């Protein structure tokens, strides 16, 4: 390989040498032949040439497919080749010199280096000039020496020229050394220092310049202390804090070098900035000794790194996105433009752990909410107003930047609206044709008679993530469509984030699992590229995960969020029950604080606390135990509970003062105490709308409707299918009816617990005062699914099922219909569900509630359904068909009615209701099947 020749890899935008241009045009077809020629003798007779004494000369013949050229003679082979290439370009009519920037990057590098060491630069306002001035103060053999890594890091021009010559310097700071060394050798004004990666000026600066500088420097007195972090090479050793004492007339890189065990900064390498772009936080580490020899002998010339095996500092490399070797120090210190003052900041363990946390999708969300211990990346984007913290799209962009991937590419697909108006139920469960954007919903594809709602188009969004080299790594193409473009962006981004988050929470996940997680979210990925991009993350985090970090797999299904999560021991709730409790979709506002508790005399240390922290119930946006505790509380109450200690790195990322908690932070030896007060509950969108638009609220009207029919029917037994927190049952205890036996069934433990509480307090006051107002003898709550038969609920006089079926998948709603009429056989059954056609009115006429984005005139339609837990909402036609078919199959009659709005006015009732009546007597005998469990029971006899 020839020295100083054009590099094999050249970035496009950079000026090319003639030879490089020829190479681009002809590749292997350009053939250079260099021949050595001897100086002709003065008599011009070749035969009498003198024996060769002086330097040889070279001539180059360049053969191209169409023609060939022969150059003049040159002292160097390389020049002969360039000249031949230039002649060929001339013949081809291409003039590389026309571009004034078309300079050999090597020449430019030499030029830049000479400028940096000029008198002029020394007094410039460039941050690097401060290093030059400080270097003048270095003593002894170090006097005036500037480390090459400092030149490379602080001069953007120099580093971009080096990148042009060898693009790999971008990821490996060591590779810049041979380039700068070589350029220094070629420049006349800079001398290299033996075995040291430092440069100095050949001739001293003029005395007058030196004098002013000496005067300036000597005015600097005193010293500063800053804290930095030592990140040991081995991932087994934890990062620790260390203090740097820097006297103001010291050269600070020397101080850092000494902490790394070196005598001075000559062989220290410096990374790019880590964290915020504006920060001066960088990693300092030592060039491996084994490479130094190669460097000075010019061997370290290759494009491959030659670091000794096992010396990769994985955490440092992961943080900076560059190769970092050996032990590294993370410090925030440096010079800024136009000032000769050092700027510095303490880097605490908390900063360090936050940097690591900010590389994970969930971590980015936690940090944006300023709730490291409490927040979680939500599993659903319901609407802009309900989302707290940075938006998914921004999180995804930051994630890509953090991992040095290209910015994500979003593309919006707009769909005609038919699908949405005709098959509203099909939006959540995707049953999709391969090509077109039409969503087909089986069993509901007869659209005749349906009323179209609006005629706007809908949008879906595709996201692609590319590597730095523009290879496609991840592709997410959800079919789900939205009325607002922004919702499509956010939801597609959230899919990618959720998928990445699954991976970061379980980095040893195998490909199969990763693929099937991707399938659910409509994500495809290139497994090889993906693994390559995140290999460092795997080695950094799997170590933690193996030391007590449970890869907690958060369950996204809201039905499962009911469990008590990771709470330990009992939950202590204080304060009177105000009756205002959150439910799925409510926005709650809380104050919380989390303390580390140890058995010892240290007591408690506050780790994290937040005033007025808001989140949406049921979307998984906080850790599950926090959510489950909050759902048991009512406004004004406070609770205290203990939770399993999360991974240490999370605690350290949230701890205000790690020096206080570090000594007591033993794995398994401490727990976290959480104190929380529920400040406020804002009802879910559906309830808010129903309250804003209807008086009395729609939910009250539904209950009143049912109560009216129960009274008229003279029923003595009632079962409420999907009773929720018992709003209907409660009303039935408040007014006189003929009911003696009242039963509620639900599968939500949380709702049942709340129902039990309310009914209990109702019944205990009733029995004291107004017992006569009811003839109720027994009230029972069962835990069970209404799509499964339990013979204890067979043959009741009346069954109610208010606003429940839309919370099931459509096939389950059909199943429920069959089971209830064929097995439970109530004499009367009342079923209510939203009328989808009414949503235009609900959503269009309440802009003050729903308008989420003031810039968007398009009235908010992001909540296509009234409640994000709805799996479908039917038009009158769809509900009519469901109920009529059902009635016909099971020998019931059916009447339609509703509440809110009117039957004869478009678009009908807000809540549509079907009233079924059994035509025949039902069979007397039924097999005993016990599938439900009793959650709570009250008997009038046992009360006296
Ligand atoms: N009927 C109540 C609650 C409506 S919310 C009211 O009008 O206020 C819907 C309820 O249906 C929720 O409590 C949910 O837990 C319940 N549910 C959904 N699917 C169910 C199933 N398969 N079995 C029993 N309950 C169900
Ligand atoms: Mg509902």
């Amino acid at each position: 390989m020839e020295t100083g020749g054009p590099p094999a890899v050249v970035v496009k935008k950079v000026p090319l040498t003639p030879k490089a241009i020829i190479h681009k045009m002809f590749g292997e077809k350009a053939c250079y032949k260099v021949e050595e020629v001897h100086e002709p003798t003065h008599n011009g007779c070749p035969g009498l040439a003198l024996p060769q004494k002086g330097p040889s000369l070279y001539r180059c013949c360049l053969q191209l497919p169409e023609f060939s050229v022969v150059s003049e003679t040159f002292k160097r082979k390389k020049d002969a080749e360039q000249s031949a290439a230039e002649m060929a370009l001339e013949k081809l009519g291409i003039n590389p010199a026309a571009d004034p920037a078309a300079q050999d990057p090597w020449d430019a590098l030499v030029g830049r280096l000479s400028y940096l060491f000029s008198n002029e630069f020394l007094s410039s306002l460039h941050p690097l000039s401060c290093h030059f001035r400080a270097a003048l103060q270095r003593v002894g053999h170090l006097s005036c020496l500037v480390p090459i890594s400092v030149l490379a890091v602080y001069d953007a021009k120099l580093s971009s020229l080096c990148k042009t010559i060898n693009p790999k310097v971008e990821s490996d700071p060591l590779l810049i050394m041979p380039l700068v060394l070589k350029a220094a050798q070629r420049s006349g004004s800079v001398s290299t220092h033996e075995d040291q990666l430092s440069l100095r000026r050949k001739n001293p600066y003029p005395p007058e310049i030196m004098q002013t500088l000496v005067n300036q420097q000597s005015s600097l007195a005193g010293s500063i202390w800053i804290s930095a972090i030592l990140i040991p090479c081995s991932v087994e050793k934890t990062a620790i804090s260390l203090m740097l004492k820097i006297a103001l007339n010291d050269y600070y890189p020397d101080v850092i070098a000494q902490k790394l065990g070196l005598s001075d900064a000559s062989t220290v390498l410096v990374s790019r900035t880590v964290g915020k772009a504006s920060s001066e936080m960088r990693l300092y580490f030592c060039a491996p000794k084994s490479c130094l020899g190669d460097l000075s002998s010019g061997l370290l010339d290759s494009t491959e790194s030659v670091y000794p095996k096992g010396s990769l500092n994985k955490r440092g490399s992961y943080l900076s996105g560059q190769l970092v070797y050996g032990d590294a120090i993370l410090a925030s210190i440096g010079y800024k433009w136009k000032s000769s003052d050092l700027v510095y900041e303490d880097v605490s363990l908390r900063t360090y752990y936050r940097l690591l946390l900010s590389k994970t999708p969930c971590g980015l969300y936690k940090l944006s909410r300023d709730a490291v211990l409490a927040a979680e990346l939500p599993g659903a984007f319901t609407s802009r107003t309900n989302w707290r913290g940075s938006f998914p799209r921004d999180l995804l962009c930051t994630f890509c930047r953090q991992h040095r991937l290209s910015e994500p590419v979003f593309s919006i697909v707009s769909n005609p609206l038919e699908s949405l108006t005709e098959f509203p139920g099909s939006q959540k469960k995707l049953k999709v044709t391969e090509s077109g954007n039409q969503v087909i919903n089986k069993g509901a594809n007869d659209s005749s008679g349906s009323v179209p709602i609006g005629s706007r188009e809908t949008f879906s969004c595709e996201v692609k993530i590319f590597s730095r080299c523009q290879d496609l790594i991840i592709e997410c193409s959800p079919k789900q469509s939205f009325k607002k473009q922004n919702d499509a962006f956010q939801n597609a981004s959230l899919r990618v984030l959720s998928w990445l988050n699954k991976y970061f929470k379980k980095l040893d996940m195998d490909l199969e699992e990763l693929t099937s997680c991707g399938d659910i979210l409509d994500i495809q990925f290139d497994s090889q590229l993906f693994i390559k991009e995140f290999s460092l993350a795997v080695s950094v985090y799997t170590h933690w995960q193996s030391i007590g970090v449970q890869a907690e797999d958060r369950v996204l299904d809201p039905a499962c969020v009911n469990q008590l999560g990771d709470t330990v021991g009992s939950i202590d709730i204080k304060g009177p029950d105000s009756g205002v409790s959150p439910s799925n979709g409510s926005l709650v506002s809380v104050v919380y604080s989390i303390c580390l508790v140890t058995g010892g005399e240290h007591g408690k240390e506050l780790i994290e606390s937040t005033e007025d922290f808001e989140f949406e119930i049921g979307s998984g946006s906080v850790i599950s135990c926090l959510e489950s505790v909050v759902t048991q509380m009512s406004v004004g109450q406070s609770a205290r509970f203990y939770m399993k200690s999360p991974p240490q790195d999370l605690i350290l990322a949230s701890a205000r003062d790690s020096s206080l908690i570090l000594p007591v932070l033993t794995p398994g030896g401490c727990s976290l105490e959480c104190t929380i007060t529920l400040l406020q509950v804002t009802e879910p969108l559906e309830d808010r709308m129903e309250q804003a638009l209807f008086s009395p609220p729609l939910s009250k009207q539904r209950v009143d409707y049912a109560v009216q029919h129960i009274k008229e029917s003279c029923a003595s037994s009632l079962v409420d299918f999907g009773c929720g927190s018992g709003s209907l049952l409660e009303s039935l205890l408040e007014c006189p009816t003929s009911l003696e036996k009242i039963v509620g069934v639900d599968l939500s433990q949380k709702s049942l617990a709340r129902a039990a509480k309310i009914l209990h307090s109702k019944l205990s006051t009733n029995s004291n005062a107004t017992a006569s107002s009811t003839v109720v003898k027994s009230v029972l709550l069962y835990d069970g699914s209404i799509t499964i038969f339990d013979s204890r609920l067979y043959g009741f006089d009346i069954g109610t099922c208010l606003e429940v079926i839309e919370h099931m998948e459509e096939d389950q709603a059909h199943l429920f219909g069959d089971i209830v009429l064929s097995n439970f056989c109530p004499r009367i059954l009342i079923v209510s569900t939203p009328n989808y056609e009414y949503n235009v009115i609900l959503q269009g006429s309440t802009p003050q509630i729903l308008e989420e984005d003031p810039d968007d005139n398009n009235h908010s339609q992001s909540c296509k359904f009234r409640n994000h837990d709805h799996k479908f909402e039917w038009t009158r036609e769809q509900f009519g068909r469901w109920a009529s078919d059902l009635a016909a199959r099971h020998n019931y009659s059916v009447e339609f009615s509703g509440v809110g709005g009117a039957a004869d006015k478009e678009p009908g009732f807000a809540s549509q209701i079907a009233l079924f009546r059994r035509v025949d007597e039902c069979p007397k005998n039924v097999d005993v099947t016990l599938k439900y469990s009793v959650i709570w029971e009250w008997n009038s006899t046992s009360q006296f």
Side-chain angles (χ1 to χ4, degrees), residues 721-722 745-747 784-790 801 804-805 808-820 823-824 931-932:
F721 294 104
V745 195
D746 206 292
L747 43 61
S785 169
I786 58 174
T787 53
I788 294 169
F789 178 61
D790 185 296
C801 183
V804 175
I805 56 170
M808 315 196 251
E809 297 297 345
E810 274 184 287
D811 55 347
Q812 295 294 299
H814 282 97
L815 178 63
F816 165 69
D818 284 329
I819 301 252
V820 70
N823 292 9
F824 287 110
K931 297 285 181 182
Y932 297 170

Side-chain angles (χ1 to χ4, degrees), residues 686 803-804 806-807 834 867 870:
E686 184 179 17
E803 305 294 291
V804 175
E806 74 276 7
H807 293 264
N867 180 319
H870 287 177

Side-chain angles (χ1 to χ4, degrees), residues 125-127 130 133 335-343:
L125 302 171
H126 195 292
C130 298
R133 292 193 290 271
Y335 296 105
K336 291 270 182 215
W337 279 87
K338 298 183 187 171
S339 153
S340 44
D341 297 338
L342 262 185
V343 287

Side-chain angles (χ1 to χ4, degrees), residues 711-730:
K711 279 184 179 165
E712 284 168 13
S713 70
C714 302
S716 65
S717 57
L718 170 135
V719 49
D720 189 17
F721 294 104
C723 61
S725 15
S727 54
L728 174 64
L729 305 181
E730 187 188 355

